[in-house]
């Protein structure tokens, strides 16, 4: 996808996702699984591919310890949420930076893989946490770098 098209897609997704919650998304499936080990990648998050309004999107549920106070979650994730938010414009639009198109607090206990992750941490994760929504691109960074190295 060329730079202008990526920026146009981002703007369309900001409008589409405004005010949506997890219940509005369909076809949720956990992604990011390693091909060499039975583990998932996600950098302190659970990463899900989902559908909304005909678009395939990525939902990233930020993992945190059992906290039931919304202000504590805002404090914990404020910097991450602020810099990557396409609506706030701290990072200018770029075809090389994946910004999220919305973020919201929700009960994430029903998304695929949450129960297993909770069990891994002995039930110590907050079921209510931030979910960041981003465009889905079928390529991984690893596949792009591997292809570039092959020439």
């Amino acid at each position: 996808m060329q730079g202008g098209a990526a920026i146009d897609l981002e703007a369309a997704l900001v409008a589409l996702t405004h005010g949506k919650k997890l219940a509005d998304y369909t076809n949720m499936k956990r992604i990011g699984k390693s091909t060499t080990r039975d583990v998932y990648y996600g950098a302190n998050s659970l990463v899900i591919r989902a559908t909304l309004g005909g678009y395939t999107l990525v939902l990233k549920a930020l993992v945190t310890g059992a906290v039931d106070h919304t202000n504590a979650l805002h404090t914990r994730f404020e910097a991450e949420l602020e810099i990557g938010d396409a609506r706030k414009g701290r990072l200018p639009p770029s075809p090389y930076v994946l910004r999220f198109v919305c973020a919201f607090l929700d009960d994430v206990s029903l998304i695929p893989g949450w129960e297993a992750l909770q069990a891994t941490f002995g039930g110590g994760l907050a079921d209510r946490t931030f979910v960041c929504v981003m465009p889905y691109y079928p390529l991984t960074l690893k596949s792009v770098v591997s292809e570039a190295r092959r020439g």
Side-chain angles (χ1 to χ4, degrees), residues 52-123:
L52 178 69
Y55 288 94
T56 301
L57 302 165
V58 171
L59 308 177
K60 182 176 181 177
L62 305 178
V63 174
T64 187
V67 176
D68 60 355
H69 194 271
T70 301
N71 287 337
L73 290 172
H74 278 283
T75 300
R76 165 74 171 86
F77 293 115
E78 182 177 27
E80 292 173 63
L81 295 172
E82 183 73 23
I83 198 160
D85 191 336
R87 298 164 301 155
K88 295 184 179 173
R90 291 216 29 215
L91 289 173
S94 169
Y96 309 108
V97 175
L98 183 60
R99 303 185 309 172
F100 59 87
V101 296
C102 79
F104 54 88
L105 273 169
D106 209 347
D107 180 350
V108 295
S109 62
L110 299 178
I111 62 176
W114 189 258
E115 187 176 301
L117 190 60
Q118 238 343 343
T120 300
F121 287 92

